[in-house]
Amino acid sequence: MFDTIKEVIDRILSKRLVPILVIYLILFVLLIDRLLSLQIIDVDTYEKEAMEMTKKTREIKAVRGNIYDCNGKLLAYNQLSYNVVLQDYGSLSDMSSDEKNKVIFMLISILEKNGDELDVDFYIEFNKKGKLKFNIEGNELLRFKAEVFGLAGGVNDLTEEQTNMTAEDIFDYLREEPNAATTSFGIGPEFSDEDALKIMAVRYAIFINRYKEFESIIIAKNVSDLTVAAVKEYSDTIPGVDITEDTKRMYNKSKYFAHILGYTGTITSEKLKEAGEDSDYSQDDQIGLSGIEEKYEDYLKGKKGKDELVVEAMSSRVVSVSSVEMPEAGDNVYLTIDSKLQIECYKLLEEHLAGILISKITNGNDAGTRGKSASDIKIPIYDVYNALFENNVINCDRFTEKNSSKLEKKVYKKFKEKRKKVIKKLKKDLSYESKVIPKDIGETREDYIDFFYDFLADNNILLLSEIDVDDETYNNYYHEKLSLSKFIQYAINMNWLDLSCLNLGEAYYSNEEIYEKLLDYSFKQFKKDKSFSKLIYSDMIYSYELSGTDCCLLLYDQGDIKLNENKYRLLKAKVLSPYTFLIDEIKKLEITPGQLGLDPCSGSIVVTDVDTGDVKAMVTYPSYDNNKLANKVDSKYYNNYLLETKSSPLLNRPTQEKLAPGSTFKMISAVTGLEEGVITPTETIYDKTTFTKIHPSPKDWTIYSHGNINVSQAIRDSCNYFFYEVGYRLGGVNSEGDVMNNRGLEKLKKYAKMFGLTAKSGVEIMEADPQFSVTDIVRSCIGQATHAYTPIQLSRYVTTVANNGTCYNLTLISKIDNYKGKTILDNKAEVRNKVDISNSTWNAIHNGMYMVVNSDNSSIRDYFSSVKEKVAGKTGTAQQTEFHANHAYFVSYAPYASPDVSVTCVIPNGHTSANAANLASDVYKYYFGKKKVSGKVTAKGSNVATD
């Protein structure tokens, strides 16, 4: 038989009757025939293996549980979505490599045409300079390389050449025409490198799925209806591609709850590894990545089901489904949060911040006491113009788009002219011979020179860890006695720079030549650097080359605010001033404090049930839309808003922002002094305003004496001098007359611990550790020194004061129900400890806090006059620097006679604690009145001196 067929083939070949592919097929048949005839393989065995079936398990995903507020309001849920999937069998698997690539490219084109994109893991990408790079490293990168080469032994089988291959090498290898010795994909030159990389990513996903061809590969998630329709329409030309139903995680009124709820996303390789081989997670699962979604992942995720499939052993084709185990939906989590209260508090906080901003913005260059004192810092209108660019409210990237406005084109033209001049001047200031010292040339030129240093450091060209800080030349530069040019030249000689970016190779270059190449490289990067562009726009604003009017008109051109044709016309005609325009837009919250990133632009409110330890509201401002991070990250939103905004919207301030508590700490100092017997409830101390028993001598917050006052009155007046004396007595002095700080701090910490200030608050999401002061007992007693606590920790402390000593581990969780509605966890806040102190001490503390709000000479009394219940509280102010406004605090509880709730308000750089108290008063008005208080921004910035 073999000879007969061979003769036929010879005849066919001689006449070139068939394509070469057919010949290869015939040769394969001949080979099998010869092996059978020589009994090298058994006919029966061959036929048996060809028909052999095997069983495979395919998972069925479970529906994730919902999250509700304490009243059953739905906060997090699942919405039907569609995925594009691909299976490499049937006609697709029979295609040539080139045909597969064309099918995949067509699919990619369909996705991108309809606003969707690929969602497959691939470990090569283009960097900002358009060069290929790996996006993984270490063992993970080695495993990827081993997978690329199809090495059965994994990493151990990698050759030295394969181990050292660059991203470009791997890309070129995978792009080659495939043959028996390679695993490449044959992606031809008709595809651009960008398109080839996308095709390669899909081919790689198919390749690593080669032993599980019965499982489909997700190519794109949550695609649009247009993509669904297109895939179905072109199903004949894109074989193996299908649409499957899925769910995507959704969040109602997301910005109000984002930091509490967190968000979901695809499980990372690190999380998958951490979960272990015994877990039921797979690489495309959605899991909780932060907040409650992460903390209660095990409850919310549900239990997967599974199909038992009968699969042909050789082809991996599914023959039948032998059994089905249905999935079990996840459990539903109920929070202690009252969503209506949470939303109202967020709105109130934003409005109060806007009101403070309005009261501080000046129509000119007046910055008040900035740089001299934090007492009366103001915001020049030019800072507002600059903030619009700095925080991407005006996005300068849009200036170069095809559909940019005439004004955008005009501003960009000015920018290019300015950049040319700046670089010319900067080249001179940084030249090899330059001896220019930044402090001698003015602030603007200094900023550009500093940018060069920061660029080198941020990009790890200047290796800060290698610098000898004791080096004389370095110290001359550090103390501004040497130019940056001379320092960098010296750093080159000292090998303090990584110059690999210059591609110097083996050739010899002089110090001057290397330095000049470094300058050339840096200036090329500057032209692409968004931070450098923003620095130039800032320069244009402060040098009056870019007008406030143009800044305001750009807001309209870019659609940042709703078009008002009348205002637009008046602005353009310069009848409406940019100052008036911007103040009005801030009042309407068309431009928000969070967008501007000016002080103050952030804050926290925590409302806690003092009888249960349930957190009723935990607000952080500004917030973000967690819908844009869930399922798949919206990269533009993430980069332009979340990363490049000075107000840090990702930061959960109530649990993660640690600040000195200022005078809100004085109740701890009072309790310590009373319980340790260094003062009594009735003892008076005369306020001398300056505490001269230690040096340097700290002063009271006011130059006017409070006279002879007792501890309750000292809380009322927030008298620093009184509490300096308490701290001095707690420490005592040694034989040399020095205060024994450690002795005093040990006593103070004993009582701080009772009120929960030495441990996390107990809430179930990520929280920073508190920081009890470790130095200076005298200043520690007024909440300064090295104290630092989060707002949620202050909330637990004041809650413990309010309920006379029950210190809870606070909670955000009310209960958890399974999918059938049965409660499987009925949660209560745990009692951490009880505070055992005398009634006279409690009375002194409560009386002092009552007088803070209600005494005749209270500076904040009027704010609370329309609150239905009496409030007790304590103000606090903490200074940061003379360049930034003071932090503002107010901790409180109400009703005074029988406390129900505590309210803690923190406004970083809020100027004065009266602003925090004013905010708290509105929270109480809503809480006890149950009527909306928010809805109007007024100039609420207080100039009342408080501490």
Side-chain angles (χ1 to χ4, degrees), residues 517-530:
K517 284 181 176 292
L518 180 62
L519 285 182
D520 289 342
Y521 171 82
S522 300
F523 286 125
K524 284 178 183 177
Q525 300 309 310
F526 288 177
K527 288 186 177 181
K528 305 179 217 174
D529 194 301
K530 196 169 183 178

Side-chain angles (χ1 to χ4, degrees), residues 423-560:
I423 289 178
K424 183 179 180 181
K425 187 64 180 174
L426 187 55
K427 283 182 177 179
K428 185 176 180 182
D429 287 342
L430 293 171
S431 67
Y432 188 75
E433 300 297 332
S434 174
K435 296 180 181 179
V436 170
I437 296 175
K439 69 174 183 176
D440 299 330
I441 60 173
E443 188 176 340
T444 302
R445 282 170 66 190
E446 182 179 355
D447 288 342
Y448 288 119
I449 291 176
D450 288 345
F451 184 90
F452 177 59
Y453 178 92
D454 292 340
F455 169 80
L456 297 179
D458 293 343
N459 288 278
N460 295 317
I461 298 171
L462 179 60
L463 305 173
L464 300 181
S465 60
E466 297 294 317
I467 295 175
D468 179 2
V469 294
D470 295 321
D471 184 272
E472 182 181 358
T473 302
Y474 169 75
N475 277 283
N476 284 336
Y477 166 71
Y478 183 81
H479 294 290
E480 299 187 286
K481 297 177 182 178
L482 183 72
S483 70
L484 179 57
S485 169
K486 295 302 178 187
F487 169 67
I488 296 299
Q489 293 166 38
Y490 179 75
I492 291 171
N493 286 336
M494 298 299 293
N495 292 320
W496 292 346
L497 275 77
D498 178 357
L499 299 171
S500 58
C501 60
L502 304 183
N503 299 316
L504 297 176
E506 299 297 323
Y508 171 78
Y509 295 94
S510 68
N511 181 280
E512 181 177 0
E513 288 173 325
I514 294 172
Y515 181 73
E516 292 297 340
K517 284 181 176 292
L518 180 62
L519 285 182
D520 289 342
Y521 171 82
S522 300
F523 286 125
K524 284 178 183 177
Q525 300 309 310
F526 288 177
K527 288 186 177 181
K528 305 179 217 174
D529 194 301
K530 196 169 183 178
S531 297
F532 188 69
S533 297
K534 287 182 179 181
L535 186 59
I536 293 173
Y537 282 113
S538 178
D539 186 0
M540 292 169 68
I541 287 167
Y542 288 109
S543 60
Y544 312 115
E545 297 172 67
L546 179 56
S547 70
T549 296
D550 282 349
C551 291
C552 295
L553 291 171
L554 285 168
L555 291 171
Y556 279 129
D557 285 5
Q558 295 201 344
D560 297 306

Side-chain angles (χ1 to χ4, degrees), residues 256-430:
Y256 304 112
F257 309 97
H259 295 83
I260 297 173
L261 299 178
Y263 52 88
T264 62
T266 304
I267 190 169
T268 62
S269 56
E270 292 81 8
K271 290 272 188 184
L272 198 58
K273 185 177 179 182
E274 185 182 313
E277 294 181 1
D278 295 333
S279 78
D280 62 350
Y281 286 117
S282 55
Q283 64 183 9
D284 62 343
D285 279 348
Q286 294 283 308
I287 65 166
L289 296 179
S290 69
I292 295 298
E293 291 277 28
E294 179 183 30
K295 180 67 178 179
Y296 287 88
E297 166 69 14
D298 288 343
Y299 286 96
L300 289 163
K301 69 177 182 179
K303 182 182 177 183
K304 291 180 179 178
K306 59 184 178 181
D307 288 337
E308 289 289 343
L309 307 177
V310 178
V311 178
E312 283 184 5
M314 293 186 68
S315 68
S316 290
R317 289 181 171 85
V318 177
V319 175
S320 64
V321 179
S322 63
S323 66
V324 178
E325 183 181 315
M326 295 304 294
E328 194 173 288
D331 302 319
N332 297 318
V333 175
Y334 289 78
L335 306 181
T336 59
I337 297 293
D338 181 328
S339 60
K340 288 184 177 179
L341 177 63
Q342 178 86 0
I343 292 169
E344 181 69 9
C345 286
Y346 186 94
K347 290 179 178 179
L348 286 171
L349 178 53
E350 184 171 55
E351 289 171 7
H352 276 260
L353 290 171
I356 299 169
L357 275 178
I358 289 168
S359 74
K360 298 297 179 182
I361 296 173
T362 63
N363 190 15
N365 289 310
D366 181 14
T369 61
R370 184 197 294 170
K372 300 174 184 176
S373 164
S375 61
D376 190 22
I377 291 175
K378 297 186 183 301
I379 305 169
I381 189 63
Y382 294 94
D383 287 2
V384 182
Y385 303 151
N386 185 55
L388 295 173
F389 280 87
E390 187 69 29
N391 296 286
N392 287 334
V393 182
I394 295 173
N395 190 341
C396 52
D397 287 343
R398 298 187 197 174
F399 294 173
T400 57
E401 292 179 358
K402 290 181 181 179
N403 60 347
S404 59
S405 69
K406 287 183 180 179
L407 178 58
E408 287 174 315
K409 288 183 172 71
K410 179 183 123 181
V411 170
Y412 184 64
K413 183 179 178 182
K414 281 186 180 180
F415 163 79
K416 287 196 295 182
E417 292 169 355
K418 180 72 173 181
R419 184 177 64 186
K420 187 176 180 180
K421 292 177 183 177
V422 165
I423 289 178
K424 183 179 180 181
K425 187 64 180 174
L426 187 55
K427 283 182 177 179
K428 185 176 180 182
D429 287 342
L430 293 171

Side-chain angles (χ1 to χ4, degrees), residues 461-743:
I461 298 171
L462 179 60
L463 305 173
L464 300 181
S465 60
E466 297 294 317
I467 295 175
D468 179 2
V469 294
D470 295 321
D471 184 272
E472 182 181 358
T473 302
Y474 169 75
N475 277 283
N476 284 336
Y477 166 71
Y478 183 81
H479 294 290
E480 299 187 286
K481 297 177 182 178
L482 183 72
S483 70
L484 179 57
S485 169
K486 295 302 178 187
F487 169 67
I488 296 299
Q489 293 166 38
Y490 179 75
I492 291 171
N493 286 336
M494 298 299 293
N495 292 320
W496 292 346
L497 275 77
D498 178 357
L499 299 171
S500 58
C501 60
L502 304 183
N503 299 316
L504 297 176
E506 299 297 323
Y508 171 78
Y509 295 94
S510 68
N511 181 280
E512 181 177 0
E513 288 173 325
I514 294 172
Y515 181 73
E516 292 297 340
K517 284 181 176 292
L518 180 62
L519 285 182
D520 289 342
Y521 171 82
S522 300
F523 286 125
K524 284 178 183 177
Q525 300 309 310
F526 288 177
K527 288 186 177 181
K528 305 179 217 174
D529 194 301
K530 196 169 183 178
S531 297
F532 188 69
S533 297
K534 287 182 179 181
L535 186 59
I536 293 173
Y537 282 113
S538 178
D539 186 0
M540 292 169 68
I541 287 167
Y542 288 109
S543 60
Y544 312 115
E545 297 172 67
L546 179 56
S547 70
T549 296
D550 282 349
C551 291
C552 295
L553 291 171
L554 285 168
L555 291 171
Y556 279 129
D557 285 5
Q558 295 201 344
D560 297 306
I561 54 178
K562 189 177 179 181
L563 178 62
N564 181 314
E565 290 186 4
N566 185 50
K567 279 189 175 182
Y568 188 89
R569 179 177 54 81
L570 292 175
L571 270 172
K572 204 166 184 180
K574 298 187 178 179
V575 175
L576 177 62
S577 77
Y579 169 81
T580 302
F581 172 80
L582 286 171
I583 292 295
D584 190 47
E585 296 305 309
I586 295 170
K587 276 185 180 178
K588 294 187 302 181
L589 296 175
E590 286 287 333
I591 300 172
T592 67
Q595 285 178 297
L596 290 174
L598 297 167
D599 294 341
C601 62
S602 62
S604 300
I605 301 176
V606 182
V607 181
T608 303
D609 186 320
V610 302
D611 292 324
T612 65
D614 289 349
V615 178
K616 307 303 292 179
M618 191 173 75
V619 170
T620 182
Y621 180 89
S623 186
Y624 65 94
D625 182 358
N626 49 350
N627 287 304
K628 293 183 182 294
L629 299 189
N631 311 301
K632 185 176 181 181
V633 175
D634 181 329
S635 57
K636 285 185 179 179
Y637 176 78
Y638 184 79
N639 291 324
N640 289 337
Y641 175 57
L642 299 184
L643 289 189
E644 295 189 21
T645 302
K646 285 190 173 181
S647 57
S648 304
L650 282 174
L651 180 65
N652 188 10
R653 298 178 187 278
T655 62
Q656 293 175 300
E657 185 171 48
K658 294 196 302 186
L659 299 170
S663 294
T664 61
F665 189 83
K666 286 174 179 173
M667 285 83 76
I668 297 290
S669 302
V671 168
T672 307
L674 290 166
E675 291 297 301
E676 291 295 315
V678 301
I679 57 170
T680 69
T682 57
E683 179 185 357
T684 62
I685 295 173
Y686 184 75
D687 174 15
K688 297 179 182 178
T689 70
T690 300
F691 192 74
T692 57
K693 294 181 180 181
I694 64 170
H695 299 281
S697 300
K699 297 180 178 180
D700 207 340
W701 61 273
T702 174
I703 61 174
Y704 303 105
S705 172
H706 296 103
N708 278 307
I709 53 175
N710 63 30
V711 65
S712 297
Q713 293 165 329
I715 292 172
R716 175 197 67 192
D717 299 334
S718 201
C719 179
N720 286 348
Y721 188 94
F722 186 98
F723 289 100
Y724 292 148
E725 178 64 27
V726 171
Y728 185 79
R729 294 182 186 183
L730 287 171
V733 294
N734 59 23
S735 58
E736 297 176 354
D738 297 325
V739 178
M740 292 183 284
N741 286 305
N742 289 341
R743 181 171 178 264

Side-chain angles (χ1 to χ4, degrees), residues 863-934:
Y863 297 147
F864 295 87
S865 59
S866 57
V867 177
K868 290 185 177 181
E869 303 288 349
K870 289 294 182 184
V871 176
K874 182 69 191 81
T875 54
T877 303
Q879 184 173 344
Q880 185 179 10
T881 72
E882 65 270 18
F883 288 93
H884 293 276
N886 294 333
H887 302 315
Y889 305 84
F890 188 70
V891 297
S892 59
Y893 60 88
Y896 173 71
S898 181
D900 173 38
V901 67
S902 71
V903 174
T904 299
C905 296
V906 179
I907 306 177
N909 309 118
H911 290 268
T912 169
S913 58
N915 289 328
N918 191 3
L919 171 60
S921 71
D922 278 350
V923 174
Y924 282 117
K925 287 171 191 173
Y926 174 79
Y927 187 85
F928 291 117
K930 298 303 179 187
K931 291 182 181 179
K932 185 179 176 183
V933 180
S934 63

